[in-house]
Amino acid sequence: MHRSAHSAETQGAQAEAAVARHCGPTLRSAIAKLAPQHMVKNPVMAVVWLGTLTTALATLAGWTSAGFGWAVTAILLVTVLFGNYAEAVAESRGRGQAASLRRARQDLVARRLLPSGGEQTIAANELKQGDLVVVESEQLVPADGEIVEGLAAINEAAVTGESAPVLREAGTDRSGVIGGTKVLSDRIVVRVTAEPGNSFLDRMIALVEGSNRQKTPNEVALGILLAVMTLTFLIVVITLPVIGAAVGVHINIVLLVALLVCLIPTTIGGLLPAIGIAGMNRALQANVLAKSGKAVEVAGDVDVLLLDKTGTITYGDRQATAFQTVNGVSPALLREAALLASLADPTPEGKSIVKLAREQGAHQGAPAQSAFIEFTAQTRMSGVDLPDRRIRKGAVDAMEQFVKSQGGIVPAGLGALVRDIASTGATPLVVAQDQQILGVIALSDVIKHGIKERFSRLREMGVRTVMITGDNELTAASIAAEAGVDDYIAQARPEDKLARIRAEQAEGRLVAMVGDGTNDAPALAQADVGLAMNSGTQAAKEAGNMVDLDSDPAKLLAIVEIGKQQLITRGALTTFSLANDVSKYFAILPAVFAAAIPSMEALNVMQLSSPASAVLAALIFNALIIPALIPLALRGVHFKPATANQLLLGNMLVYGVGGVVVPFVAIKLIDMGLTAVLPL
């Protein structure tokens, strides 16, 4: 997490520098967004843009004084440009990252394996799904794929920004590789999994540039609310000339437009697109690729978080620490059986069993006629079939069923031995030969430092944590208590994860899931927030709606905070926008009616110097508040764990009261400045 935080700070600083360097292009982008096809996507700012054109035409027609008319037109134009600029700045934050990603995939070549056994060197963009390519030390991986042979250290800095190499190995959940990354050691054979133009880098570039960003449900709902409010005030303003005529007040069209712009929620209308884009950018700064803004926002509403024990709660480096026999079985026989059952096991646990057995004196190799049995999530065991015997190792219940199916009997002392090992937090792995259980291997893991505090922080946010593990009930309970999770699922199969997610969702809860293997893909696809590890399989990355480029399963804890921060930021700025509209009413309404209706002077609580000055002061404030809030929209409101009621109260006190007070003070100061320099 420390590296991630440092990475986020570094990328954030780089993003700010990029925005500063590209101020000119950003401004040009803001001007280009004045095109009608873009403006119609934001009804509030579209009305302001239409009002700008209306006041310009009215001034040219002589329907108002030239000075006042052009001043209003200029301020309205600046207001629209500031709104567009906020969106352009948010979009520009991803362009630097996109540029580096494009460089990572340029001029890639591939060594494609031919069916005849030879090789063919071709351009990477000519590769097809299913092709096999060879990559050796100091060469670039030409395309997304899965390692089918070998292992290698790979530099993924072009994608993740992390200079430390990572290990990728065939036959494990860390077999996925990305085109454009660099192999630092050894030789690997990669099966291409992506078609040209649809690689991970291609999709990532499109996402960070915002071209595929879809509005979130909350953003859509708020957009509808703003459109309804805008339409309502538009109708009100259109009817004002009729009302004014009835009381002897003539209202020119420029003043009407100014009134409309001050009534509609222009502040949040101008900042809304930037807030949505900024949420994805903040996730990207944490080295998490969100496939949509919806994924980030839903993370802020998550009720339940499902986490695999291994690699998330524990370091995931379980090592064999002891062999314990049952019913007088020879320790040498147990070590030999454990060694033979693990010789073809590519997992770290399997390798550690082989290492420990050899350290304790077992050196036998497997006969040539051996048939190795791979571990599966369904059988939950692995082993080897020799010419004269069958050896298996696996979960306690799976091994008991195996022995019984062979006509054997489970020894009475096995249960006590398993409980003793599990009570220490270790995982018991039972070893059997034909009908006989020989003993238990103890696999030990370590709880990650600070994980209990992180779960406590999530609990304060109202998120319930559920640990998923293939361990037996006793081991799972021990680890769960030490880690501080709220619940756990022991001896879990892929179907169990999926069933738990569906059960939680059926009760109206939003569920987040972390995974990296192909067997996690169904659960990742079903979860409302599915965080796949970049180091994991292609199936997992395709199923999830987020990809953690650092492959840190605990990253979801940070994503929940980013999602909540986005929700709070939008809520805070919406509250501020609607509140400061109240203040603007007191600036504009007296300007419209006070001259003809003296009693309206009572509404001039701000004691503004003149109707024209009041209108211009309110419009200037209306324009300036948008760029003033851009940094807050991009950075996000400071978030700390609290209940929904506490967050609502805090929003109302800070942004509600502040939204009323700030315009009163600012408009009065602007009015005084205008009076001092202009003859209004």
Side-chain angles (χ1 to χ4, degrees), residues 534-602:
N534 180 43
S535 62
T537 62
Q538 191 69 22
K541 288 187 283 189
E542 291 290 345
N545 53 16
M546 289 185 179
V547 178
D548 178 17
L549 302 179
D550 291 328
S551 299
D552 175 10
K555 184 72 68 64
L556 190 55
L557 309 182
I559 292 301
V560 170
E561 293 190 0
I562 291 173
K564 287 188 178 294
Q565 185 184 44
Q566 179 170 339
L567 291 171
I568 293 168
T569 300
R570 185 180 294 122
L573 292 180
T574 300
T575 301
F576 182 87
S577 175
L578 298 179
N580 71 39
D581 286 341
V582 174
S583 299
K584 290 182 287 186
Y585 300 160
F586 287 98
I588 295 292
L589 289 176
V592 176
F593 292 105
I597 308 174
S599 59
M600 289 288 290
E601 183 62 29

Side-chain angles (χ1 to χ4, degrees), residues 380 394-401 414 418 428-430 437 472 491:
R380 295 168 52 236
V396 178
D397 60 332
M399 294 305 302
E400 289 179 346
Q401 292 176 11
L414 179 64
V418 166
L429 205 62
V430 175
I437 288 181
N472 64 65
Q491 298 176 324

Side-chain angles (χ1 to χ4, degrees), residues 168-187:
R168 298 287 179 261
E169 184 175 2
T172 70
D173 284 342
R174 293 179 174 270
S175 61
V177 291
I178 300 174
T181 56
K182 187 175 184 178
V183 173
L184 300 179
S185 68
D186 303 293
R187 174 186 184 274

Side-chain angles (χ1 to χ4, degrees), residues 398-608:
M399 294 305 302
E400 289 179 346
Q401 292 176 11
F402 171 77
V403 168
K404 290 177 181 178
S405 70
Q406 301 298 307
I409 299 174
V410 177
L414 179 64
L417 181 57
V418 166
R419 285 192 294 273
D420 288 343
I421 292 174
S423 64
T424 66
T427 301
L429 205 62
V430 175
V431 179
Q433 179 174 285
D434 295 327
Q435 302 96 340
Q436 181 185 12
I437 288 181
L438 304 178
V440 182
I441 306 169
L443 298 175
S444 300
D445 202 350
V446 180
I447 299 289
K448 288 186 175 180
H449 178 70
I451 197 75
K452 193 167 187 176
E453 289 73 17
R454 295 177 195 171
F455 290 150
S456 176
R457 185 176 175 87
L458 281 171
R459 196 173 296 110
E460 292 175 6
M461 297 182 219
V463 179
R464 183 161 50 89
T465 52
V466 180
M467 180 185 77
I468 304 173
T469 177
D471 293 334
N472 64 65
E473 184 76 20
L474 194 58
T475 301
S478 174
I479 300 270
E482 186 178 353
V485 295
D486 300 307
D487 196 4
Y488 64 90
I489 306 174
Q491 298 176 324
R493 300 166 300 170
E495 310 91 86
D496 299 325
K497 301 176 187 179
L498 189 59
R500 180 59 178 262
I501 291 173
R502 287 175 174 170
E504 296 284 359
Q505 291 172 332
E507 295 180 8
R509 301 185 184 97
L510 294 177
V511 183
M513 168 72 189
V514 180
D516 59 1
T518 300
N519 65 336
D520 291 323
L524 287 169
Q526 179 69 36
D528 299 284
V529 177
L531 179 64
M533 300 295 99
N534 180 43
S535 62
T537 62
Q538 191 69 22
K541 288 187 283 189
E542 291 290 345
N545 53 16
M546 289 185 179
V547 178
D548 178 17
L549 302 179
D550 291 328
S551 299
D552 175 10
K555 184 72 68 64
L556 190 55
L557 309 182
I559 292 301
V560 170
E561 293 190 0
I562 291 173
K564 287 188 178 294
Q565 185 184 44
Q566 179 170 339
L567 291 171
I568 293 168
T569 300
R570 185 180 294 122
L573 292 180
T574 300
T575 301
F576 182 87
S577 175
L578 298 179
N580 71 39
D581 286 341
V582 174
S583 299
K584 290 182 287 186
Y585 300 160
F586 287 98
I588 295 292
L589 289 176
V592 176
F593 292 105
I597 308 174
S599 59
M600 289 288 290
E601 183 62 29
L603 292 176
N604 191 13
V605 295
M606 301 171 69
Q607 294 298 302
L608 301 177

